[in-house]
Amino acid sequence: MAIWKMYLITLIEIILFLIVGFLLTDNVLKNVYESAGIRFIGNVWVIWFGISFMVFALYTIILSFVSKENRLRKERLTSKTFWVIVTASIVGIFVPFFIGEIPF
């Protein structure tokens, strides 16, 4: 039963980070892109999910240093899929600065 409780907490964390990611994308990143001359139109949801997952990954990494007893967090940090998605989210957020538009 304890493992289901950890999965529920992880699901709630993901939903909260989607909300935080949306707020950061709409309020902060939109202004950063527009000040760099990048129109904030197109597949903005890719940027939203990228920033949400990047913040979630930072949260996971920081908590791994603070508390070491969470088994799911340990498995997440050793997962290759986790690191591939972190890399893809970083690329997805910073590519528009190099090509001048949101290409996705």
Side-chain angles (χ1 to χ4, degrees):
M1 188 65 162
I3 192 75
W4 290 106
K5 182 179 176 183
M6 287 192 294
Y7 280 125
L8 179 65
I9 290 171
T10 302
L11 181 65
I12 292 169
E13 287 174 344
I14 290 171
I15 291 170
L16 287 175
F17 280 108
L18 283 171
I19 293 169
V20 168
F22 176 76
L23 294 173
L24 284 174
T25 302
D26 195 44
N27 296 321
V28 177
L29 209 54
K30 178 180 179 181
N31 296 330
V32 171
Y33 280 157
E34 289 178 351
S35 68
I38 301 168
R39 293 186 336 197
F40 199 68
I41 59 171
N43 292 330
V44 178
W45 66 271
V46 174
I47 306 297
W48 168 37
F49 279 107
I51 197 76
S52 296
F53 197 81
M54 199 164 90
V55 172
F56 180 69
L58 288 173
Y59 167 78
T60 301
I61 293 167
I62 289 170
L63 278 186
S64 71
F65 290 117
V66 174
S67 76
K68 299 189 186 278
E69 66 264 357
N70 192 324
R71 187 177 106 204
L72 288 177
R73 193 175 307 120
K74 181 181 176 186
E75 290 175 5
R76 190 181 310 143
L77 285 173
T78 59
S79 168
K80 292 177 185 174
T81 306
F82 176 78
W83 292 107
V84 167
I85 295 174
V86 168
T87 304
S89 67
I90 291 170
V91 168
I93 292 169
F94 290 108
V95 160
F97 291 108
F98 298 112
I99 63 173
E101 65 180 4
I102 298 176
F104 314 105

